Amino acid sequence: TSAEMATAHLGFNIDAPRWDQSTFVGRLKHFLNITDPRTVLVPEKELDRAKALVEACRAGLVPPGSSREQLLYAKKLYDSAFHPDSGEKMNLIGRMSFQVPGGMALTGCMLQFYRTVPAVVFWQWVNQSFNAIVNYTNRNAASPISLRQIGVAYITATGTALATAVGLNLYTKRAPPLLARWVPFAAVAAANCVNIPMMRQQEIINGVTVTDGDNNELGCSRRAAVKGIAQVVVSRITMAAPGMIILPIIMERLERFPFMQRIRVLHGPLQVLLCGGFLLFMVPAACALFPQRCSLALADLELELRDSIVAKHGDKVPYVYFNKGL
């Protein structure tokens, strides 16, 4: 409508969040929007058109006839496929919108094939390879990381996951069957605690750029990096937890029924589908646990950075802000 077009032109800020990002519900709506797995199927050309439209809008050059809905859809595609710091197109596997299809296949297989050591080793290795791509893709792009560091992070995380999975797998041979089904989750949680900090070690070593409330750069903080990365670790473990903890209980009960024992071949596909159901909600919910634009009180910063901010701005900057990554 002409009214919609008018709002698209008059003071429409394409980067302003559609929902209040200071509340969990607002962040959940935001991430339900950008982790929508359907955006994975959008052709490259359409993604490029969406980026061009967003950039035109930022420059105040909204193409005539563009409605607000078109601009919001372009922003949805842009947010799902392009890195928030660098603006570069992210690889398909690393996008948060690929977490549901990719995660459901891998989680389903880890939960199904947990009985033998070779199966545990194979699926944990595949899962850590997937995680390494996701973590590298969603890092804070202001902190470059070398190929050697990526390799060390990948090997360390994979080693941690395999050691946890194989060790617990052997330990639970004499334990109740349900405990053995929870081994994949323990391995995934342990690997996340290693993989994400290792993949983003440059941020811990050099710090991340922190800004004031108006996005003016104030310097780099290692403490901000540690806070952001810790929140991402918690989010990733939360993302996997319901599916990997509740689903084994469901399968344990279902497998007692005679009809389930007759259709053993369908157990794997069933677990994959059920994992998808959990992840559809858990991916956006876990991403929404903490604000994307993370804040840190001035008092919690390193002494030198705090002194330099106070020297320049006095007491006008009580908090600093930074992108925590995903």
Side-chain angles (χ1 to χ4, degrees), residues 87-129:
E88 288 176 19
K89 189 183 288 172
M90 296 185 282
N91 67 76
L92 180 70
I93 293 171
R95 294 176 198 166
M96 276 296 153
S97 50
F98 191 74
Q99 279 288 303
V100 173
M104 68 189 263
L106 286 170
T107 308
C109 290
M110 281 191 290
L111 292 177
Q112 180 63 22
F113 305 109
Y114 67 92
R115 289 182 177 88
T116 66
V117 170
V120 168
V121 168
F122 176 75
W123 286 109
Q124 287 293 337
W125 168 69
V126 174
N127 187 54
Q128 286 315 311
S129 304

Side-chain angles (χ1 to χ4, degrees), residues 172-324:
T172 55
K173 285 274 184 271
R174 294 177 300 279
L178 187 58
L179 282 181
R181 287 177 179 268
W182 280 334
V183 167
F185 173 65
V188 165
N192 269 323
C193 293
V194 175
N195 194 339
I196 297 166
M198 290 291 290
M199 193 59 83
R200 295 174 59 177
Q201 58 188 288
Q202 283 301 99
E203 297 172 42
I204 299 170
I205 297 164
N206 303 322
V208 291
T209 303
V210 294
T211 66
D212 62 15
D214 299 321
N215 279 337
N216 301 308
E217 289 190 13
L218 300 169
C220 287
S221 167
R222 290 186 297 279
R223 288 189 184 177
V226 169
K227 179 178 180 180
I229 290 167
Q231 289 186 351
V232 171
V233 170
V234 171
S235 290
R236 290 295 180 79
I237 293 172
T238 306
M239 197 181 286
M244 298 188 87
I245 291 172
I246 299 166
L247 193 50
I249 299 171
I250 294 170
M251 290 303 290
E252 181 83 358
R253 297 278 162 84
L254 283 177
E255 284 174 14
R256 291 175 189 165
F257 291 109
F259 80 93
M260 281 294 280
Q261 285 160 14
R262 284 198 298 274
I263 55 161
R264 281 187 184 281
V265 72
L266 295 178
H267 289 192
L270 177 64
Q271 295 224 62
V272 168
L273 278 174
L274 290 171
C275 282
F278 279 106
L279 286 172
L280 264 176
F281 178 73
M282 284 315 300
V283 169
C287 288
L289 277 181
F290 306 103
Q292 183 66 29
R293 189 173 185 237
C294 196
S295 64
L296 191 64
L298 187 68
D300 295 334
L301 288 173
E302 296 88 332
L303 196 59
E304 306 133 58
L305 180 58
R306 190 166 65 209
D307 290 346
S308 80
I309 293 171
V310 170
K312 277 186 200 164
H313 304 279
D315 58 359
K316 289 178 185 166
V317 184
Y319 288 90
V320 297
Y321 301 90
F322 57 97
N323 173 20
K324 72 170 173 62

